[in-house]
Amino acid sequence: MTSISLFAPARVGALDLKNRIAMAPMTRSRGTDERVPKPVVAQYYAQRSGAGLIVSEGVGISPGSFGFPNVPGIFSDAQVQGWRGVTDCLRGTGTRFFMQLWHVGRVSHPDNLPPGVQPCAPSALAAGRDVVTRNGPRPASLPHALETDEVWAVVRDYAQAARRAIEAGCDGVEIHAANGYLPAQFLHESTNLRTDEWGGSIEKRARFTVEVARACAQAVGPDRVGVRLSPFSAFNGASSADEPAVYEQLLAQLAPLGLAYLHVVTMEVAGHMTRQADAAGEPDVVGFARQRWPGVLIAAGGYDRAKAEHDLNAGRADVVAFGRDYVGNPDLPERLAHGWPLVERRMADWYGPDAKGYTDYRSYAATSATDAATEVAQESK
Ligand SMILES: Cc1cc2nc3c(=O)[nH]c(=O)nc-3n(C[C@H](O)[C@H](O)[C@H](O)COP(=O)(O)O)c2cc1C
């Protein structure tokens, strides 16, 4: 039997990937106060261009979409220019760059939004957690429940953001429908109490994600649009009693759109942390998605090379995304290929503000060359 290597090419939507390694989307909070990516962002992604696919950090689709400080956006001309700086640096590397489109919904506070703007959500239910603001942690606010026509305006914001992402030189966009943010808030019964066309039945709760995907597909082409989901995770308090039925319905509604890919997060992680496994056993998210998704499947969450190649060879996934290991190992594909050690994970600088803990990690080759030079220098003393 021929085995599928992580280093074999793949076809995703309209694009050829040079290998089956994706860099998972990771918020790193290196945007200016105007939410433009700082120049160091281009260097960060260029350092990681060994990946077949890079999915950007979550990027705000509109001024009211943000939940955290210094997360960049994609709605102003300055932001498009900033992202063009990133995609210019990636040109010629052969890596594909999808921008993750993010609206946090209720997981926010007015301190993270323009003056006078309130967080919004399908229903007026607070997230029940603290959010980081520039003034320190604050309890997430009670959100404004979107009016029916306001929901359509948000759908249009996604489509406009997708257009602007392509204008900035991205190869495509990924809709962030995972981890309890706005699309997941519509999807789940704990966060959606609506009785209009956007709530009530599972089908109507799934509609927001489907309409966003459809609008983005119409704006930039279905083969340039992916969707990210975290089934069964209940992250940020978005959950339903019958999760399999919810995701079964959602995938059935998304499948006919002919999207570039579905990206799922396993139960091994909750957001950015490893999760304590449930003794009663975990749902197999990747297997669940594979059975119900006719197209390309990207799997993320707790992968190393052995587990990734196992899932590729078992036909469970087509591409595997790595998150935390990409923070400290810009040359992750080379390290995986050669079995070189990985740098220890260090959370301290995950969320900003500058180059420290961001672009100052070296490749293994550079580290060992420096170590060898230091040894020679010490020996000749
Ligand atoms: C610092 C950090 C920021 C993250 N930000 C995002 C994000 O913006 N969007 C998203 O979908 N997932 C985000 N995640 C989750 C990762 O994409 C990924 O699912 C998670 O780290 C599990 O993969 P891993 O085990 O390979 O790290 C983030 C994770 C980390 C560590």
Side-chain angles (χ1 to χ4, degrees), residues 24-27 58 100 176 228 265 269 271-272 301-302 322-324 350-351:
M26 281 182 292
T27 293
Q100 193 185 50
H176 189 353
R228 189 172 218 224
V265 185
V269 289
H272 64 209
F322 296 83
R324 290 164 292 177
W350 277 1
Y351 299 109

Side-chain angles (χ1 to χ4, degrees), residues 90-346:
L90 291 173
R91 194 159 314 117
T93 63
T95 192
R96 302 301 188 174
F97 188 77
F98 271 49
M99 178 178 286
Q100 193 185 50
L101 301 184
W102 196 14
H103 192 310
V104 302
R106 67 180 193 158
V107 188
S108 191
H109 183 277
D111 285 4
N112 289 330
L113 298 171
V117 177
Q118 280 292 319
C120 64
S123 301
L125 297 165
R129 57 163 274 189
D130 281 357
V131 292
V132 179
T133 76
R134 59 178 184 277
N135 303 313
R138 293 278 183 279
S141 322
L142 188 67
H144 153 69
L146 291 161
E147 303 290 339
T148 303
D149 52 343
E150 287 177 324
V151 180
W152 282 114
V154 179
V155 172
R156 286 193 294 274
D157 287 342
Y158 274 95
Q160 178 63 3
R163 271 185 221 102
R164 302 224 81 181
I166 300 297
E167 189 187 333
C170 299
D171 293 299
V173 294
E174 176 179 285
I175 296 158
H176 189 353
N179 296 349
Y181 296 108
L182 188 63
Q185 290 160 29
F186 272 94
L187 184 63
H188 289 292
E189 64 191 8
S190 67
T191 42
N192 183 345
L193 308 179
R194 302 178 74 96
T195 51
D196 65 356
E197 65 203 74
W198 301 104
S201 63
I202 294 178
E203 190 180 345
K204 287 182 180 170
R205 297 205 309 266
R207 183 165 183 211
F208 181 77
T209 307
V210 176
E211 293 299 344
V212 166
R214 197 194 314 277
C216 289
Q218 275 166 2
V220 302
D223 48 7
R224 293 188 181 273
V225 178
V227 172
R228 189 172 218 224
L229 303 174
S230 54
F232 317 126
S233 76
F235 198 70
N236 276 324
S239 66
S240 300
D242 192 354
E243 296 255 335
V246 167
Y247 283 96
E248 179 128 23
Q249 177 69 38
L250 176 61
L251 293 181
Q253 288 177 240
L254 286 173
L257 300 183
L259 302 178
Y261 65 80
L262 174 70
H263 185 177
V264 292
V265 185
T266 67
M267 296 289 289
E268 299 221 356
V269 289
H272 64 209
M273 309 288 278
T274 300
R275 232 178 107 256
Q276 206 59 39
D278 185 339
E282 302 286 358
D284 172 15
V285 170
V286 176
F288 178 93
R290 185 49 129 191
Q291 277 174 21
R292 292 162 180 83
W293 184 252
V296 171
L297 184 64
I298 304 179
Y303 279 90
D304 57 15
R305 178 176 175 177
K307 194 173 160 209
E309 294 201 320
H310 170 273
D311 276 10
L312 292 179
N313 281 299
R316 285 164 54 77
D318 303 299
V319 173
V320 175
F322 296 83
R324 290 164 292 177
D325 284 338
Y326 242 123
V327 172
N329 301 284
D331 56 340
L332 186 64
E334 286 82 356
R335 290 188 193 237
L336 296 178
H338 296 285
W340 292 335
L342 301 185
V343 167
E344 212 172 297
R345 293 173 181 175
R346 194 159 49 84

